[in-house]
Amino acid sequence: MAKITTSTLLKMKQQGEKISTITAYDASFAKLFDQAGIHAILIGDSLGMVLQGQDDTLPVDIDHMAYHTQSVKRGVTDTLIISDMPFMTYATKEQAFTNAAKLMQAGASMVKMEGGEWLVDTIKGLVERGIPVCAHLGLTPQSVNVFGGFKVQGREKSQADKMIADAKLLEAAGAQLLVLECIPCDLGKAISAAVSIPTIGIGAGKDTDGQILVMHDALGISCSYMPKFSRNFLIDTGDIKKAIELYISEVSDGNFPGDEHIFVK
């Protein structure tokens, strides 16, 4: 597999090829996923929940993210590496510049931030300084206390319209990738059609340009519960590498997510 870049993912969207993405937090799993042919790896602040046993992602700090980014980088040859900017590390542009630099120096090829219109100036500034950005709309876990829990977003027309508008603004600001989490499938389809950058869904239906799962969910080893939008691929294969290859294949063929994994209005 050739080195995956943001240009690779954009070309895949343009050609109608599905993008497969998964989280990883260490070199061993990252190497296995890279060898299996995954297109992108996200070092997610989900590590707060799946590795640290926290109730949410808020306790994760920039040093945690840099450490795990360095670890993943050592296991990867071809896969694009994306690192989450954790809670309150990009509240101001200056914070964002400093903390994004730490993640890029740790080995990330792109940083991910949660939020809509308010991030426009920050994204512009990062891109001008050579830092690619993945935006994130829908259920943004760092805002869990504002939402009152982990709930599907965008079911009301006003909220859906705002999300589509935000997606266009984030693209115009320079974001090169967009994660859509826990939104109705029709909205996932509408946003994917409204922007030219690739969209990566997690609980956003099958019409996004790609999918992402937390590795612990995809392998059926999450310590809490299995989200509706996920699937245990390991139970079908009995082998971790084959499980990831199956995940990639099912996404590519349009078989995952299935109707049982999506949200409707």
Side-chain angles (χ1 to χ4, degrees), residues 11 55 73 77 110 136 139 149 155 182 191 200 202 205 207 213 217 228 254:
K11 186 176 180 181
D55 292 332
K73 175 64 175 177
T77 301
M110 171 178 264
H136 184 159
L139 172 56
R155 280 181 163 148
C182 287
I191 293 175
I200 309 296
I202 179 166
D207 293 305
L213 288 177
D217 293 339
K228 172 185 172 68

Side-chain angles (χ1 to χ4, degrees), residues 186-217:
D186 288 349
L187 180 55
K189 181 177 182 178
I191 293 175
S192 300
V195 297
S196 61
I197 58 174
T199 59
I200 309 296
I202 179 166
K206 61 177 62 181
D207 293 305
T208 53
D209 302 305
Q211 301 292 326
I212 184 168
L213 288 177
V214 173
M215 58 165 278
H216 293 68
D217 293 339

Side-chain angles (χ1 to χ4, degrees), residues 4-188:
I4 303 293
T5 67
T6 54
S7 296
T8 309
L9 302 187
L10 178 60
K11 186 176 180 181
M12 290 180 71
K13 171 171 179 137
Q14 293 169 344
Q15 295 180 343
E17 299 174 21
K18 294 291 188 178
I19 300 162
S20 299
T21 308
I22 198 165
T23 66
Y25 314 94
D26 65 29
S28 296
F29 277 108
K31 184 175 183 178
L32 187 150
F33 298 163
D34 183 81
Q35 292 174 343
I38 204 80
H39 300 115
I41 287 174
L42 170 69
I43 301 96
D45 58 3
S46 51
L47 70 87
M49 301 173 77
V50 297
L51 297 189
Q52 299 176 348
Q54 307 282 4
D55 292 332
D56 51 44
T57 64
L58 273 57
V60 177
D61 64 30
I62 196 68
D63 291 332
H64 295 149
M65 294 305 307
Y67 171 83
H68 287 281
T69 298
Q70 289 172 339
S71 298
V72 166
K73 175 64 175 177
R74 295 184 187 111
V76 166
T77 301
D78 298 318
T79 304
L80 180 74
I81 299 175
I82 308 166
S83 291
D84 260 335
M85 296 276 282
F87 181 64
M88 290 299 287
T89 60
Y90 49 99
T92 67
K93 286 193 293 185
E94 290 70 24
Q95 280 182 314
F97 298 161
T98 298
N99 289 314
K102 290 181 181 178
L103 296 183
M104 296 294 287
Q105 290 168 342
S109 302
M110 171 178 264
V111 299
K112 182 171 78 65
M113 299 186 294
E114 300 178 5
E117 183 178 0
W118 71 273
L119 278 176
V120 163
D121 288 342
T122 299
I123 291 174
K124 285 180 179 177
L126 286 169
V127 173
E128 287 170 354
R129 288 158 177 80
I131 298 178
V133 175
C134 172
H136 184 159
L137 293 172
L139 172 56
T140 46
Q142 292 173 19
S143 300
V144 61
N145 291 314
V146 174
F147 295 148
F150 295 96
K151 299 177 180 179
V152 177
Q153 302 296 306
R155 280 181 163 148
E156 299 79 17
K157 186 179 185 304
S158 60
Q159 194 182 37
D161 290 345
K162 179 68 164 63
M163 213 176 294
I164 294 171
D166 280 349
K168 292 177 180 179
L169 289 171
L170 294 170
E171 177 184 16
Q176 292 176 283
L177 202 61
L178 177 60
V179 169
L180 301 173
E181 181 169 356
C182 287
I183 61 174
C185 57
D186 288 349
L187 180 55

